[in-house]
Amino acid sequence: MKERKFTWAAIKRDMRQHWALYLMAIPLIAFFIVFAYMPMGGLLMAFENYKPNKGFLGSDFVGLKNFMDFFGSPFAFRTIRNTLVISFLQLIIEFPLVIVFALLINEIKMGPFRKAVQTLTYMPYFISMVVMAGIIVDFVKSTGVVGQLVGVFTGTPTNLLGDPKYWRPLYIATNLWQGLGFSSIIYVAALSGIDQELYEAAEIDGATRWKQTLHITLPGIASTIIIMLILRVGSIMAVGQEKTILLYNSQVYETADIISSFIYRKGLLEFNYGYSTAVSLFNSVINFILLVTTNQISKKFSETSLF
């Protein structure tokens, strides 16, 4: 088949033929221009001692000073370590559990019961994070249900949000509570696309449900798993700041303070815009490198990739 050349004339001709599609794409394009590309101009603050009254062009240029100040501070190691630890815990605990939950949902054949399970597990995701944080605070304080339950084993009711050693388990557990059901939707959708005749043939050949899962189900959703893994690794430095900011306090900074919460304090509470922008830029660059690297590795070994 002859390769189609994309020239300006071809693009104009295509726009005339499919003008309605291009018209519908305008709001989406405008959204990304306004909220994704235009804000990139603010990255200039990372190299300035930015002052709002002087603006981008009037503020003093300081080069890499903001980056050097961050890496020379005692907070750099702590925030990077906490971010990586929590991200890896999410990767090795939350990521596979979501897939397992989707597989279990797929095994439920009773329609009403399946819908009930899905509804109950999806609901926490749609609760406002502020409301969710309030619920968590009430449950894990020393007089709360979870705080009292921990007290049964430790001898003393404990406010879990005031003890650094409980922060990471609490963060992962509440993440699963809130997002397990909703995160499984994409896998449930992928499972519905597997040819059911494969299962029938495997059953005739005497394959058990476990063998069917290993040789039909998992290979059938392998591409979806790989894509989601690439996206997850590409955001490994982007731990959810909203939840952290709503729940953490100075008592648990040692294990709870992450890069995004540190950026929040420096930028919005201390008004050190240049410094916080430098830290945010470093965070984004690392995520970008991880995304591209993971994508290339996946493309080489599995022939599945984002681009």
Side-chain angles (χ1 to χ4, degrees):
M1 186 173 67
K2 186 177 179 181
E3 184 178 353
R4 186 175 180 181
K5 294 182 179 180
F6 288 91
T7 62
W8 281 112
I11 293 173
K12 290 179 181 178
R13 185 167 58 253
D14 189 68
M15 291 180 69
R16 284 195 298 269
Q17 293 175 351
H18 306 98
W19 62 270
L21 295 177
Y22 284 95
L23 187 64
M24 288 189 291
I26 288 176
L28 181 63
I29 295 171
F31 174 85
F32 279 101
I33 291 174
V34 173
F35 295 103
Y37 290 99
M38 288 179 63
M40 287 184 181
L43 295 177
L44 184 62
M45 289 190 293
F47 307 95
E48 295 179 333
N49 181 20
Y50 179 76
K51 302 296 182 184
N53 60 325
K54 294 182 178 181
F56 293 123
L57 301 179
S59 299
D60 297 329
F61 183 78
V62 296
L64 299 177
K65 182 179 183 300
N66 289 323
F67 295 91
M68 295 171 64
D69 287 346
F70 172 64
F71 289 109
S73 72
F75 306 110
F77 174 76
R78 184 181 74 183
T79 55
I80 294 173
R81 179 200 63 200
N82 290 341
T83 302
L84 289 175
V85 169
I86 292 175
S87 287
F88 279 120
L89 287 174
Q90 288 179 309
L91 187 61
I92 64 176
I93 297 175
E94 292 182 27
F95 188 82
L97 283 181
V98 168
I99 299 172
V100 171
F101 183 75
L103 294 175
L104 294 176
I105 288 289
N106 190 57
E107 291 298 316
I108 300 176
K109 303 305 179 184
M110 294 174 58
F113 180 65
R114 176 172 176 162
K115 289 181 180 179
V117 171
Q118 288 179 301
T119 301
L120 289 173
T121 54
Y122 294 171
M123 283 177 62
Y125 182 84
F126 297 100
I127 299 176
S128 166
M129 182 56 72
V130 176
V131 175
M132 183 64 70
I135 294 172
I136 294 171
V137 169
D138 286 339
F139 270 60
V140 303
K141 62 185 180 182
S142 57
T143 56
V145 175
V146 179
Q148 291 286 334
L149 184 62
V150 172
V152 172
F153 297 97
T154 62
T156 306
T158 305
N159 176 16
L160 304 187
L161 290 177
D163 193 331
K165 69 182 180 183
Y166 291 116
W167 173 261
R168 290 167 185 163
L170 184 64
Y171 189 96
I172 299 300
T174 52
N175 262 11
L176 286 170
W177 173 39
Q178 188 175 18
L180 182 65
F182 187 82
S183 299
S184 67
I185 289 177
I186 190 168
Y187 298 108
V188 172
L191 287 167
S192 65
I194 299 176
D195 189 353
Q196 295 302 306
E197 291 183 0
L198 295 174
Y199 292 105
E200 294 173 5
E203 191 172 352
I204 292 172
D205 291 337
T208 61
R209 294 300 300 175
W210 174 244
K211 288 185 177 180
Q212 291 177 35
T213 300
L214 289 179
H215 300 290
I216 299 175
T217 306
L218 291 178
I221 61 171
S223 59
T224 302
I225 294 173
I226 292 171
I227 292 296
M228 297 305 294
L229 180 61
I230 293 172
L231 292 173
R232 184 67 196 86
V233 174
S235 60
I236 207 165
M237 297 289 284
V239 179
Q241 71 273 17
E242 298 93 349
K243 183 177 179 179
T244 300
I245 292 168
L246 287 169
L247 292 177
Y248 82 154
N249 56 73
S250 57
Q251 293 177 291
V252 294
Y253 277 176
E254 183 59 29
T255 57
D257 194 22
I258 55 177
I259 292 177
S260 54
S261 61
F262 181 71
I263 292 170
Y264 165 77
R265 292 202 310 277
K266 284 294 181 181
L268 296 181
L269 299 184
E270 299 179 17
F271 307 108
N272 196 341
Y273 301 110
Y275 186 94
S276 61
T277 304
V279 180
S280 180
L281 179 58
F282 157 75
N283 198 39
S284 298
V285 169
I286 297 300
N287 276 336
F288 177 75
I289 292 172
L290 288 172
L291 176 65
V292 173
T293 303
T294 309
N295 186 75
Q296 291 302 114
I297 293 173
S298 175
K299 183 186 293 186
K300 180 178 180 180
F301 291 101
S302 70
E303 298 182 356
T304 300
S305 61
L306 286 173
F307 48 84

